Amino acid sequence: MMDNELETDVARRTQARILDAANQVIAKVGYKRLRMEAVAKGSGITRQTIYNYFPNKQQLATAVLLREGALVNERAKENIPDDLEGEALLSAAVLALVDAARAMPIFEGLFEEGSMGYVNELAEHSQVIERMMHDYWAPVIERIAATGRVRGDIPVERIEWWLSFVYRALLQRPTEDLDDRAGMDALVRDFLAPTVMAR
């Protein structure tokens, strides 16, 4: 292995250890109480080295969100049936994304009381997170558009933003609400579908 390849491999492994530790800290205490000292302790990597990779808490949390969010997206995509259209497709896509996020321990910490404001701020101001959500929602919107049902008076980017906003809001709901599948489906069909689809 060449020196540059070795350095790159070491850097990749170091970054992965930092992200793993940050993931565990956020899952345990939430984003608001995320501290670099705890990440250093959990990863066995010095704070200075962590700052070399992630200059501040926001960049570290964004990197964790991106990594875990990409996994959530992939898992959710696998659970959207291929034969659905319209409201049924939109409902399945929303529920699959919420279910996939709820299955990841970090999301409990991210959406706990006190951390949500920070998470929304990260999501609203990160173009990288916006692209990640685009990767999830664009194929869903394209499938709906194929049947001529997407509203033409709202830019697609705005629809994606709205779906992402609603997704984050749903993750804050009590567990019993999210477990009520019929209620969640009705919520999507009655309130979310009209903002996305033409009548």
Side-chain angles (χ1 to χ4, degrees), residues 119-149:
V119 172
N120 278 329
E121 187 175 330
L122 286 176
E124 290 297 323
H125 296 98
S126 171
Q127 292 179 338
V128 182
I129 291 176
E130 184 180 314
R131 276 197 310 272
M132 180 183 68
M133 293 311 303
H134 167 76
D135 289 344
Y136 183 77
W137 291 116
V140 173
I141 294 169
E142 285 173 15
R143 284 176 59 185
I144 295 170
T147 62
R149 298 280 317 273

Side-chain angles (χ1 to χ4, degrees), residues 14 31 72 117 176 186:
T14 301
Y31 172 74
V72 166
E176 55 271 16

Side-chain angles (χ1 to χ4, degrees), residues 40-41 45 48 81 117 142 183:
K41 183 177 179 183
I45 295 169
Q48 184 54 52
E142 285 173 15

Side-chain angles (χ1 to χ4, degrees), residues 68-84:
E68 300 306 305
L71 289 173
V72 166
N73 283 2
E74 290 310 308
R75 290 174 182 169
K77 286 177 185 178
E78 293 170 1
N79 289 312
I80 302 174
D82 293 331
D83 60 342
L84 298 180

Side-chain angles (χ1 to χ4, degrees), residues 19-184:
L19 293 176
D20 288 344
N23 186 346
Q24 291 175 359
V25 172
I26 293 170
K28 186 175 181 180
V29 303
Y31 172 74
K32 185 177 179 182
R33 293 185 302 231
L34 172 65
R35 300 289 178 266
M36 292 299 201
E37 298 85 10
V39 176
K41 183 177 179 183
S43 65
I45 295 169
T46 67
R47 281 178 56 197
Q48 184 54 52
T49 300
I50 293 172
Y51 282 118
N52 290 339
Y53 286 90
F54 304 101
N56 57 53
K57 171 178 150 175
Q58 183 176 2
Q59 288 185 15
L60 175 58
T62 300
V64 173
L65 269 175
L66 288 172
R67 188 180 75 166
E68 300 306 305
L71 289 173
V72 166
N73 283 2
E74 290 310 308
R75 290 174 182 169
K77 286 177 185 178
E78 293 170 1
N79 289 312
I80 302 174
D82 293 331
D83 60 342
L84 298 180
E85 296 180 357
E87 289 89 350
L89 170 57
L90 184 62
S91 181
V94 170
L95 295 176
L97 194 59
V98 168
D99 289 345
R102 290 176 67 202
M104 304 286 279
I106 187 175
F107 283 89
E108 186 173 327
L110 283 172
F111 293 96
E112 72 167 7
E113 189 175 337
S115 290
M116 194 57 217
Y118 295 97
V119 172
N120 278 329
E121 187 175 330
L122 286 176
E124 290 297 323
H125 296 98
S126 171
Q127 292 179 338
V128 182
I129 291 176
E130 184 180 314
R131 276 197 310 272
M132 180 183 68
M133 293 311 303
H134 167 76
D135 289 344
Y136 183 77
W137 291 116
V140 173
I141 294 169
E142 285 173 15
R143 284 176 59 185
I144 295 170
T147 62
R149 298 280 317 273
V150 173
R151 287 180 58 170
D153 60 332
I154 301 174
V156 172
E157 298 79 23
R158 193 70 180 154
I159 293 173
E160 290 175 4
W161 177 89
W162 177 240
L163 290 170
S164 299
F165 177 83
V166 170
Y167 158 61
R168 292 193 313 272
L170 288 174
L171 288 176
Q172 297 176 70
R173 301 298 308 149
T175 300
E176 55 271 16
D177 288 358
L178 298 177
D179 288 340
D180 176 6
R181 309 312 281 178
M184 287 282 288

